[in-house]
Amino acid sequence: MADVAEKAGVSRALVSIVFRNQPGASEETRQRVLRVADEIGYRPDNAARLLARGRSRTIGVMFTVHQTFHTDLIEGIYPEAERLGYDVLLSAAAEGRSEAKAVEALLAHRCEALILLGSDAEAAYLDELGRRAVTVSVSRRVPQARVDFVHSAEGKGVRLAMDHLVELGHRRIVHIDGGRGPGSAERRRAYRAAMRRHGLESEARVIPGEHTEESGIETGRLLLAERDQGLPLPTAVLAGNDRCAMGVLMAMTRGGVEVPRDLSVVGYDDSHLSHLMPIGLTTVRQDARLMAEYAVRFAVERLEKPELEPREAVLDSKLVVRGTSGPAPEAAR
Amino acid sequence: MADVAEKAGVSRALVSIVFRNQPGASEETRQRVLRVADEIGYRPDNAARLLARGRSRTIGVMFTVHQTFHTDLIEGIYPEAERLGYDVLLSAAAEGRSEAKAVEALLAHRCEALILLGSDAEAAYLDELGRRAVTVSVSRRVPQARVDFVHSAEGKGVRLAMDHLVELGHRRIVHIDGGRGPGSAERRRAYRAAMRRHGLESEARVIPGEHTEESGIETGRLLLAERDQGLPLPTAVLAGNDRCAMGVLMAMTRGGVEVPRDLSVVGYDDSHLSHLMPIGLTTVRQDARLMAEYAVRFAVERLEKPELEPREAVLDSKLVVRGTSGPAPEAAR
DNA sequence: TACTCGCACTAGAGCGCGCTAGTAGAGCGC
DNA sequence: GCGCTCTACTAGCGCGCTCTAGTGCGAGTA
């Protein structure tokens, strides 16, 4: 920076002004400074900048590798953050790298706000985070914690899916839940309520699971094993999310069950995956773009008005009917 | 830091020593400092640290959102970087956020090394990056640029896939290439060579494409349209990567073509996707873990010995036969 | 003429650390 | 007693920037 200043015949302060795009420099000097900077390959050091400024204007995003819905969200976070003049730092949770570790990395980089995609942290930890930095939890709702929430209308999504299945004549509908995963509790509850509402209470069955393909495969195998022991196969499966649904599809198809003739499968997320199945996955659509925008906006607004109370955005869900859902087999109606 | 020092009754320097895990503090003092720090919620500021130290010990990783193979790689990068004492920063390229933009963000954060996952930048740009920072290109080989390369044996992978198809009796094998995507040139070349070697030169056909599902779908539709005009459908498709293969599968299945009875499809990457298809995608396996480890190691080694010349690692490829490849239809043999 | 104002620009403190050069004191051999 | 080494600790500079409080100057105003 000093080199640029000297070569352009101005002070360092002026160079700073130019690079911050602030008023206080004549157009002529501005151009000269930029030209000189370009010549000697100068670019401002973010770390020093951040340090001097006292503010980082950086939003940290924690996501989980392999969660395709998260990448959908990330895609929406970048442009909105940029529009509002914020930088984005990504940190992934993965096998061997816990969510807490990923978050620590973000905090060490002095992110002012955290956006947690599908966190499965405990309420106390979330609350602590929320007090340490502006925090937005996407997909996961933990009312006890001092954080903003952005999620879709889980209840509505499940209700739409269940109505669709019941309308197709299904009665033996099982739900594979997402364990402690984001949204799981709400979806489970909504499933039970829907079964009750349709008078299918006695058929209701929640199989514990996770938001992974493996979990779907496992559950698929379990159901096949039950069938081989003479128990009836369900005619429809409402999976905890798309990945789990894909796992179910895979296990079932391998086991000779034809979808959707013998079995209907409904996912949740409308992540990138849903389009991939040759026949298309029937799923509940969450508007990733909109969720991302809300998350960023919540964070920024609370950053700029710290006295604001955390808020909650519940975005609409829609059912997207594709190829994996069809009429229940006559025999099972 | 000053607060911690005061409360613990030591100097700032001593606190610094404790947090850097350096010798020069008694075990007793160390514990006391750490306890006090925890009490007042102090954690070192990465930016200041980086600034004072002059080195960031940070590796920047550029990846493309939705490229599932990239998330496989990221999962391998974290532990290896941690093992070697480096921090990792992620920056995603996405629609509306170019690769260059993602890289700039990393450089502004003073990453000492860049790992580019499947870059499709021009040679000149890569070379420039390579001179500005230690750069490792994964999957993409650009010998003219001063960067390290880590990729798998594309030639071998394609050869294995082609031998497999030919052995199954396929003759009309088309290749959808990946445009300027990483590895595409090598795969294309290897495809042509394999066709020649098997005396199928006259059947060789490369359809321009991309490494996306959309491209696969498009190509699938193209082939179906050709069929409807009376042209023969190929009996096998070697896609540019798994995503493209998924697209082909989807388009074809929708068009009433049964896989693998009427058509065999082979992908490339063995990314997470490959397991997802109900019948499993036959694909060429690249060892993501190993590639990630090599990438990090190359970066770190060159960071610590700047006089080192850039190197190249070519990792073995394997064919993973799953459900999407089968014997060619009798009529086409 | 004396003044105010706005514009272009500058001096220099300070952001939170790391690091070098140093000190103080204990232990040791001679 | 002296010098020596070793351990535990400290003073204070400087990393590359931002930002506040200025300075100097020409134009406009009373």
Side-chain angles (χ1 to χ4, degrees):
Chain A
M1 190 177 191
D3 295 350
V4 174
E6 194 185 347
K7 212 170 170 193
V10 295
S11 69
R12 290 190 312 104
L14 215 267
V15 177
S16 170
I17 286 172
V18 170
F19 271 91
R20 277 177 295 135
N21 249 325
Q22 289 245 328
S26 67
E27 191 48 39
E28 190 197 330
T29 317
R30 208 173 279 273
Q31 293 307 327
R32 184 155 35 90
V33 168
L34 289 176
R35 208 184 49 236
V36 171
D38 193 48
E39 271 170 30
I40 49 183
Y42 164 83
R43 78 187 59 225
D45 180 331
N46 232 310
R49 225 172 182 172
L50 190 159
L51 185 62
R53 188 164 49 196
R55 284 202 52 187
S56 65
R57 292 191 76 85
T58 299
I59 299 175
V61 177
M62 192 284 294
F63 70 106
T64 306
V65 100
H66 294 318
Q67 286 291 9
T68 52
F69 186 59
H70 291 184
T71 51
D72 293 349
L73 287 167
I74 290 170
E75 206 169 14
I77 286 174
Y78 272 123
E80 186 66 6
E82 187 173 359
R83 196 177 70 78
L84 298 172
Y86 280 76
D87 216 10
V88 173
L89 236 47
L90 259 36
S91 187
E95 212 169 314
R97 182 175 156 98
S98 70
E99 202 181 308
K101 205 165 188 173
V103 167
E104 283 309 312
L106 293 174
L107 286 175
H109 279 282
R110 287 294 186 268
C111 290
E112 300 182 313
L114 297 174
I115 296 183
L116 309 179
L117 306 185
S119 161
D120 71 344
E122 291 172 15
Y125 176 69
L126 267 189
D127 188 56
E128 190 199 319
L129 276 188
R131 288 167 198 286
R132 212 192 285 167
V134 168
T135 305
V136 183
S137 169
V138 178
S139 290
R140 174 90 185 290
R141 190 168 171 276
V142 181
Q144 309 95 298
R146 199 185 157 65
V147 307
D148 292 279
F149 300 109
V150 177
H151 55 96
S152 58
E154 312 282 358
K156 180 177 171 191
V158 169
R159 208 179 323 123
L160 290 172
M162 293 296 290
D163 290 354
H164 169 63
L165 290 173
V166 170
E167 211 161 285
L168 287 168
H170 294 275
R171 297 178 50 83
R172 246 189 347 270
I173 308 171
V174 307
H175 174 48
I176 308 174
D177 85 348
R180 310 182 347 96
S184 300
E186 289 85 354
R187 292 177 203 172
R188 195 163 42 224
R189 215 173 299 130
Y191 160 78
R192 288 225 169 84
M195 288 300 270
R196 213 174 306 127
R197 195 159 42 78
H198 287 294
L200 300 171
E201 210 162 352
S202 60
E203 300 279 4
R205 177 174 179 199
V206 176
I207 304 179
E210 271 179 70
H211 284 166
T212 62
E213 288 87 9
E214 288 71 25
S215 170
I217 293 175
E218 219 169 277
T219 309
R221 291 208 181 121
L222 169 73
L223 293 174
L224 289 172
E226 289 180 358
R227 178 196 60 181
D228 296 342
Q229 286 170 17
L231 292 168
L233 216 51
T235 66
V237 172
L238 175 66
N241 75 345
D242 284 355
R243 293 182 65 198
C244 178
M246 294 295 280
V248 172
L249 280 171
M250 182 170 138
M252 288 305 192
T253 310
R254 285 220 179 129
V257 176
E258 202 173 303
V259 175
R261 195 196 61 191
D262 308 328
L263 179 78
S264 288
V265 176
V266 179
Y268 209 105
D269 277 352
D270 195 25
S271 67
H272 232 68
L273 281 178
S274 326
H275 318 278
L276 293 193
M277 283 295 304
I279 51 172
L281 180 65
T282 294
T283 187
V284 176
R285 176 173 178 72
Q286 309 189 58
D287 192 332
R289 196 112 213 160
L290 204 57
M291 288 175 83
E293 281 171 17
Y294 267 96
V296 174
R297 235 175 289 159
F298 276 2
V300 170
E301 284 173 12
R302 213 138 63 75
L303 236 31
E304 296 182 351
K305 282 199 181 177
E307 71 279 10
L308 243 52
E309 281 301 299
R311 285 169 298 171
E312 181 170 350
V314 183
L315 305 181
D316 200 27
S317 302
K318 283 182 196 140
L319 183 71
V320 182
V321 179
R322 296 206 183 89
T324 56
S325 57
E330 283 300 334
R333 295 214 183 182
Chain B
M1 189 176 191
D3 294 351
V4 175
E6 195 185 347
K7 213 170 168 192
V10 296
S11 68
R12 289 193 312 103
L14 216 268
V15 177
S16 169
I17 285 172
V18 170
F19 271 90
R20 278 176 293 134
N21 250 325
Q22 289 244 329
S26 66
E27 191 48 38
E28 190 197 330
T29 317
R30 206 173 281 273
Q31 292 308 326
R32 183 155 36 90
V33 167
L34 288 175
R35 207 184 51 236
V36 170
D38 192 49
E39 271 170 30
I40 50 183
Y42 164 83
R43 78 187 60 227
D45 181 329
N46 233 312
R49 227 173 180 170
L50 189 161
L51 186 61
R53 184 166 52 194
R55 283 202 53 185
S56 65
R57 292 192 75 86
T58 299
I59 299 175
V61 177
M62 194 283 295
F63 71 105
T64 306
V65 100
H66 295 318
Q67 287 291 8
T68 52
F69 185 59
H70 291 184
T71 50
D72 293 349
L73 287 167
I74 289 170
E75 206 169 13
I77 286 174
Y78 272 123
E80 186 68 4
E82 187 174 358
R83 197 177 68 78
L84 298 172
Y86 279 75
D87 215 10
V88 172
L89 237 47
L90 258 36
S91 187
E95 210 167 314
R97 181 173 157 100
S98 70
E99 200 180 309
K101 206 165 188 173
V103 167
E104 283 309 314
L106 294 174
L107 287 176
H109 279 282
R110 287 294 187 266
C111 290
E112 299 182 314
L114 297 173
I115 297 183
L116 309 179
L117 306 186
S119 161
D120 72 343
E122 289 172 15
Y125 176 69
L126 267 189
D127 189 56
E128 191 198 319
L129 277 188
R131 287 167 199 286
R132 212 193 284 167
V134 168
T135 305
V136 183
S137 169
V138 177
S139 291
R140 175 90 184 292
R141 190 167 172 276
V142 181
Q144 308 94 299
R146 199 184 157 64
V147 306
D148 293 279
F149 300 109
V150 177
H151 54 96
S152 59
E154 312 281 359
K156 180 177 171 190
V158 170
R159 207 179 324 124
L160 290 171
M162 293 297 289
D163 290 353
H164 170 63
L165 291 172
V166 170
E167 211 162 284
L168 288 168
H170 293 276
R171 297 178 48 83
R172 245 184 354 265
I173 308 171
V174 308
H175 174 50
I176 308 173
D177 83 349
R180 310 181 348 94
S184 300
E186 288 84 355
R187 292 175 202 174
R188 195 162 44 225
R189 215 173 301 130
Y191 161 78
R192 288 225 168 85
M195 289 299 269
R196 214 174 306 126
R197 196 158 40 79
H198 288 293
L200 300 171
E201 210 161 352
S202 60
E203 301 278 4
R205 178 175 178 199
V206 176
I207 304 179
E210 271 178 72
H211 284 166
T212 62
E213 288 87 7
E214 288 71 25
S215 170
I217 294 174
E218 219 169 277
T219 309
R221 291 208 180 120
L222 169 73
L223 293 173
L224 289 171
E226 287 181 358
R227 179 196 59 180
D228 295 342
Q229 285 169 18
L231 290 169
L233 214 53
T235 65
V237 172
L238 174 67
N241 74 345
D242 285 354
R243 294 181 65 197
C244 178
M246 295 295 280
V248 171
L249 280 171
M250 181 170 140
M252 287 306 192
T253 311
R254 284 216 179 132
V257 176
E258 202 173 304
V259 174
R261 195 196 60 192
D262 307 330
L263 179 78
S264 288
V265 177
V266 179
Y268 209 105
D269 277 352
D270 195 25
S271 68
H272 232 69
L273 282 179
S274 326
H275 319 277
L276 294 193
M277 283 296 303
I279 50 172
L281 180 64
T282 295
T283 187
V284 176
R285 175 173 180 72
Q286 308 188 59
D287 191 332
R289 196 112 213 160
L290 203 58
M291 288 175 84
E293 281 171 18
Y294 265 96
V296 174
R297 236 175 289 160
F298 275 2
V300 171
E301 284 173 12
R302 212 138 65 75
L303 236 32
E304 297 183 350
K305 280 199 183 177
E307 72 277 12
L308 244 51
E309 281 302 300
R311 284 168 299 170
E312 183 170 350
V314 183
L315 305 181
D316 200 26
S317 303
K318 282 183 196 139
L319 183 70
V320 182
V321 179
R322 296 204 184 88
T324 57
S325 57
E330 282 301 333
R333 295 213 182 183

